[in-house]
């Protein structure tokens, strides 16, 4: 008789459910181990009976008083040491985002018309910018500051300060109103803006505007790129660990006015097409009583810096072109360098957040490649097991595409990033907060949900922050998505023909 072919196991067995069973078993291994132990203890208690148990308890009366006091002291000492040495929890009370006025809107047609009217751009530069916009993933409602609407643009110091005041004061006013915090009650102030660093600093400008206390701890971060928002969060966390009963106001923005590039070097024309107005203000606290009204709790911040490598250091570089015009040059190696930085970052954050099932699979694969066959495909941990929401820096379509592919994320997982890029453009360090607000505005943020924020910046840096939602958040009101959230998500074609 001819032998019957073996069944196709990949079809007959639901491998997805096999993996789910494996994950459940490994992630709850302690529970499964404790059940037989507890059952054995219960059976032993039943066997000896209540009389013998009472006799054992009476025998404890004969213990020496000194022994009892020493034991009690030891217990109190250990508990005191534990509570005093554990890190203070960091709560995110609320945050506010800048919504540019409608008059600052820059449709593609306006952007290209202005570019053609500027005498310093040759036709090749105009065509190049048009091709970038067609493939950028940006929409028709992104905004540039008023000074960039002039022909030619007017990147003066006064215009730059005016943009900074418009953005920063708007978000600070809003977050103080949302949280009920008075300016004089702010203990720590951190402002980050990468490319506009005037004297006095932007943090001093905020202190002057709101007449904050003379003993406020203020910091102004510049030159740290699009990941500076998470660097500010990390700095605030460290300060809140050493200053009890305090709060911290973090302001993240990028001032666009002085950074318009008016030359024809292609690597410097990309920021013109991608960067747009935006800003965020975040209020953090280490007071335990604030846990009741906070939105999120900070779980981890992981920072990766690849600046020791020359290519990584120069891949986002401010310099002058051959005509002496200053701009930000983006290297062709940017995506490869970003991939290396991401790999180093997730290697650090993985053990902190991944369940045991994913860590064991990664470990077994790593051992297999080292011992048996180096050609084995490396196992990419399933970060969807660790997080419900992903906020990937909306630096550009290529950045989001690359992370979606490398982390094997679904379209829904990167929806907030793509829609933020479409509606607001690359707002630099504040883009992560627009994405978080998108998730809230869609009513998707539930109590216990975990959020992974990933940002890239010049230097080259990849930074991550992990937040845990403390309470189910109702649909966000008064944010930048209010008037358009019902239109999203929208289909974004690969190429928009202009």
């Amino acid at each position: 008789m001819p032998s019957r072919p073996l069944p196709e196991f990949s079809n007959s067995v639901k491998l997805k459910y096999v993996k789910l069973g494996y994950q459940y078993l490994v992630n709850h291994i302690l529970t499964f181990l404790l059940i037989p132990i507890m059952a054995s203890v219960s059976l032993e208690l039943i066997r000896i009976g209540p009389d013998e148990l009472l006799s054992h308890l009476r025998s404890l009366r004969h213990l020496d008083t000194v022994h009892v006091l020493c034991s009690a002291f030891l217990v109190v000492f250990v508990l005191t040491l534990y509570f005093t040495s554990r890190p203070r929890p960091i709560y995110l009370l609320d945050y506010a985002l800048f919504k540019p006025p409608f008059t600052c809107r820059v449709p593609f047609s306006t952007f290209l018309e202005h570019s053609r009217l500027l005498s310093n751009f040759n036709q090749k530069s105009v065509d190049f910018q048009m091709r970038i916009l067609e493939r950028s993933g940006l929409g028709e409602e992104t905004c540039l500051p008023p000074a960039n609407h002039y022909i030619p643009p007017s990147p003066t110091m006064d215009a730059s300060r005016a943009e900074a005041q418009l953005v920063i004061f708007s978000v600070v006013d809003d977050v103080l109103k949302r949280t009920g915090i008075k300016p004089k009650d702010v203990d720590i102030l951190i402002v980050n803006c990468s490319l506009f660093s005037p004297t006095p600093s932007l943090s001093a400008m905020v202190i002057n505007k709101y007449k904050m206390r003379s003993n406020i701890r203020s910091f102004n971060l510049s030159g740290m790129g699009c990941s500076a928002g998470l660097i500010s969060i990390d700095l605030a966390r460290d300060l809140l660990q050493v200053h009890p009963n305090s709060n911290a106001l973090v302001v993240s923005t990028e001032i666009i006015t002085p950074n318009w590039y008016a030359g024809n070097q292609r690597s410097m024309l990309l920021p013109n097409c991608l960067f747009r107005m935006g800003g965020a203000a975040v209020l953090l606290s280490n007071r335990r009583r604030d846990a009741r009204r906070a939105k999120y709790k900070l779980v981890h911040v992981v920072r990766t810096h690849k600046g020791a490598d020359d290519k990584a250091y120069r891949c986002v570089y401010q310099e002058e072109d051959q005509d002496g015009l200053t701009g930000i040059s983006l290297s062709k190696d940017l995506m490869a360098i970003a991939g290396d930085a991401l790999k180093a970052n997730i290697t650090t954050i993985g053990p902190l957040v991944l369940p045991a099932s994913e860590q064991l699979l990664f470990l077994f694969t790593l051992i297999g490649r080292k011992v048996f066959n180096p050609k084995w495909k490396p196992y990419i941990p399933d970060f969807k097991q660790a997080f419900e929401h992903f906020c990937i820096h909306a630096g550009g379509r290529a950045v989001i595409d690359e992370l979606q592919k490398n982390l094997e994320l679904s379209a829904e997982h990167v929806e907030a990033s793509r829609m933020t890029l479409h509606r607001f453009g690359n707002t630099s360090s504040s883009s992560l907060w627009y994405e978080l607000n998108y998730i809230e505005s869609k009513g998707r943020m539930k109590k216990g949900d975990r959020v992974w924020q990933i940002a890239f910046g010049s230097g080259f840096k990849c930074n991550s922050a992990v937040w845990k939602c403390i309470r189910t958040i109702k649909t966000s009101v008064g944010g930048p998505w209010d008037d358009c959230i019902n239109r999203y998500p929208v289909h974004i074609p690969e190429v928009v023909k202009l």
Side-chain angles (χ1 to χ4, degrees), residues 304 306 309 311-313 315-316 331-346 392-393 395 398-400 402-403 406-407 454-463:
T304 302
K306 307 292 286 186
D309 180 77
K311 282 188 176 181
Y313 173 70
C315 71
V316 180
S331 167
K332 292 180 180 179
D333 300 323
L334 178 59
M335 290 312 303
I337 292 166
D340 289 340
L342 174 66
K343 195 180 301 181
N345 191 267
I346 64 176
I392 299 167
H393 168 53
V399 175
I400 302 171
E402 194 68 21
L403 264 73
N406 288 339
L407 298 177
I454 315 169
F456 299 93
S458 58
F460 189 83
K461 299 179 286 292
C462 175
N463 299 325

Side-chain angles (χ1 to χ4, degrees), residues 200-248:
S201 67
L202 296 177
S203 59
M205 181 183 78
V206 174
I207 292 170
N208 175 259
K209 164 70 175 178
Y210 294 95
K211 310 304 178 189
M212 293 177 170
R213 302 197 317 256
S214 60
N215 65 341
I216 189 172
R217 298 172 181 87
S218 66
F219 301 84
N220 198 94
L221 306 183
S222 64
M224 305 197 81
C226 299
S227 67
L230 295 187
I231 295 173
S232 297
I233 295 293
D234 188 37
L235 175 59
R237 179 192 64 171
D238 291 345
L239 290 166
L240 289 171
Q241 289 303 320
V242 296
H243 297 289
N245 199 36
S246 300
N247 58 50

